[in-house]
Amino acid sequence: MKIHKEGRRILFVTLLILLTLNLLMFYFNRGNTLVNGLFAGATAIIFLLILQFFRSPYRHMFTHEDLLIAPADGKVVVIENVFEPEYFEDERKQISIFMSPINVHVTRNPISGLVKYFKYHPGNYLVAWHPKSSTQNERTTVVVESDAGPLVLFRQIAGAMARRIVWYVNEGDEVSQGEEFGFIKFGSRVDVFVPVDSDVKVELGQKVKGGETVICQLKV
């Protein structure tokens, strides 16, 4: 287990603030050890909660040109055919994974290939399970021409708590399945859009692991 680079500064600043608060508490409230102890315990819990947001566990990843792996940890909340208006402008199969605050927040490439399209969209911060969050919230859209041939679109979506999306890909990049393509701070969701004839390998409500769980097989 390691701490993700996106969390190191936040954790350092948080630790300094909490230590300062504890020192002030012990200095001005020296006669009340019970309250001081409870305050110290509460701040320790706060720090540990923030720490777990930024954990980056090792994953046993594999690569296969026609299998999509989960781009994030979380729960499958959508499997349906929808009209995708931003890039394809036709019907696609959508698979959405909701990331709670206790999930790992790293997002990974679900497939290897060439990035044909990338766009960042500023937007709102509706709760991630809201039907309009996919088109109205702050988000990034990535389209990869997979090594197997079909185009795959995946989208990081900010939520009510997640107020910053980080990405590491740009148009023209070659990406490898399982490698990090970004990070969503404090949870949200990732949508994946594949051809409608793709064979979905997961079910609604299923918990998946980013970089490990196969979610779909492309028809090639």
Side-chain angles (χ1 to χ4, degrees):
M1 182 74 69
K2 65 178 182 177
I3 302 302
H4 197 275
K5 63 183 181 181
E6 298 296 341
R8 291 169 191 165
R9 182 177 178 181
I10 291 174
L11 289 168
F12 178 72
V13 172
T14 301
L15 183 60
L16 284 181
I17 292 172
L18 294 179
L19 284 174
T20 300
L21 290 175
N22 274 278
L23 288 173
L24 291 172
M25 190 74 173
F26 276 83
Y27 180 78
F28 289 107
N29 196 33
R30 280 172 286 187
N32 198 332
T33 55
L34 176 60
V35 173
N36 291 343
L38 290 174
F39 184 79
T43 55
I45 291 171
I46 291 171
F47 183 76
L48 289 174
L49 287 173
I50 297 174
L51 180 67
Q52 66 88 30
F53 290 152
F54 294 103
R55 68 195 189 280
S56 182
Y58 175 77
R59 293 290 160 85
H60 298 283
M61 290 176 286
F62 68 96
T63 59
H64 199 290
E65 65 178 16
D66 65 340
L67 295 179
L68 269 73
I69 57 172
D73 287 22
K75 183 170 70 173
V76 178
V77 293
V78 175
I79 302 174
E80 62 182 3
N81 290 355
V82 299
F83 180 80
E84 197 294 304
E86 180 179 350
Y87 184 83
F88 294 116
E89 298 183 336
D90 65 10
E91 189 176 42
R92 296 281 146 164
K93 190 178 296 294
Q94 176 182 339
I95 304 169
S96 298
I97 298 168
F98 173 71
M99 306 161 65
S100 78
I102 63 172
N103 287 127
V104 173
H105 297 81
V106 176
T107 51
R108 302 179 183 277
N109 296 305
I111 198 88
S112 297
L114 176 68
V115 177
K116 303 290 287 185
Y117 175 84
F118 173 86
K119 188 170 184 179
Y120 166 75
H121 302 267
N124 300 320
Y125 297 98
L126 302 171
V127 290
W129 56 84
H130 194 288
K132 293 184 178 180
S133 65
S134 182
T135 56
Q136 294 187 8
N137 277 18
E138 179 185 10
R139 62 200 181 277
T140 62
T141 301
V142 183
V143 178
V144 170
E145 182 178 28
S146 67
D147 289 343
L151 295 170
V152 175
L153 184 152
F154 42 100
R155 183 175 287 139
Q156 297 170 298
I157 302 170
M161 288 183 63
R163 296 290 172 142
R164 188 172 178 218
I165 294 174
V166 181
W167 61 90
Y168 312 132
V169 297
N170 292 288
E171 280 188 27
D173 288 352
E174 289 279 354
V175 296
S176 296
Q177 190 175 53
E179 286 186 351
E180 294 182 19
F181 80 84
F183 194 94
I184 307 178
K185 295 186 178 180
F186 302 109
S188 190
R189 113 183 196 190
V190 180
D191 291 348
V192 180
F193 295 83
V194 294
V196 293
D197 62 353
S198 301
D199 184 14
V200 177
K201 301 294 186 181
V202 290
E203 299 177 347
L204 282 174
Q206 181 177 336
K207 292 182 179 180
V208 297
K209 280 190 174 183
E212 288 188 354
T213 306
V214 174
I215 63 170
C216 179
Q217 184 170 21
L218 301 172
K219 297 293 185 182
V220 295

